[in-house]
Amino acid sequence: MIKHVVAFRMDKKLSADEKTDAMNKMKSLLEALPPKIDELEAAEVGINFNPTDAAFDVVLTTTHLSQEALGTYAGHPEHLEVLAYIRSVISERIVVDYER
C-alpha cells in the first residue's frame, strides 16, 4: 500500500475570501477523483486551522495499491486537470510518498 501526502500553501496574493473559496474548491475537486481514477483507492483532504507561519493550508492524502498505480494516477488526465487549477492558487507544495 502506497500513501501519497501533499501539503499546499495558498498564494499570499489571494484575499481571505479568495483563499477560503480556493481551499474549498481544491477539497471538492480532489475528493471527487477516486471514482474517476481506478488507480486511486482513496483521497482525503484536510483544511488547516493552525494559524502559525509554519503551517501549510491544505493537505491531501491518497492511497494506491502500488508505486505504479501512483504513477498512473499522477499522469491521469482527470488528475492533471485538477492539478492545473491547484497550481493557479498555490505558492508552494511539499510531497511525501511512502509504503505501508
Side-chain angles (χ1 to χ4, degrees):
M1 186 70 59
I2 302 297
K3 290 286 191 169
H4 172 65
V5 182
V6 187
F8 303 96
R9 185 165 282 143
M10 304 306 290
D11 193 324
K12 293 188 187 305
K13 296 175 189 171
L14 299 174
S15 70
D17 287 342
E18 290 171 331
K19 179 179 174 180
T20 298
D21 290 346
M23 290 189 300
N24 287 327
K25 183 173 180 177
M26 285 173 60
K27 181 174 174 60
S28 294
L29 290 170
L30 289 164
E31 288 178 343
L33 288 177
K36 299 175 183 178
I37 304 174
D38 291 338
E39 294 79 9
L40 177 55
E41 299 297 310
E44 179 181 349
V45 180
I47 295 178
N48 177 56
F49 61 81
N50 181 334
T52 66
D53 289 340
F56 278 63
D57 298 302
V58 178
V59 66
L60 165 69
T61 303
T62 63
T63 306
H64 310 269
L65 295 179
S66 66
Q67 289 183 27
E68 293 76 21
L70 173 59
T72 300
Y73 157 75
H76 193 283
E78 294 281 352
H79 173 252
L80 294 176
E81 186 175 321
V82 172
L83 189 56
Y85 171 73
I86 290 171
R87 286 183 172 152
S88 76
V89 295
I90 66 164
S91 61
E92 187 177 357
R93 71 183 177 134
I94 56 172
V95 178
V96 175
D97 295 321
Y98 65 95
E99 193 164 4
R100 335 184 359 212

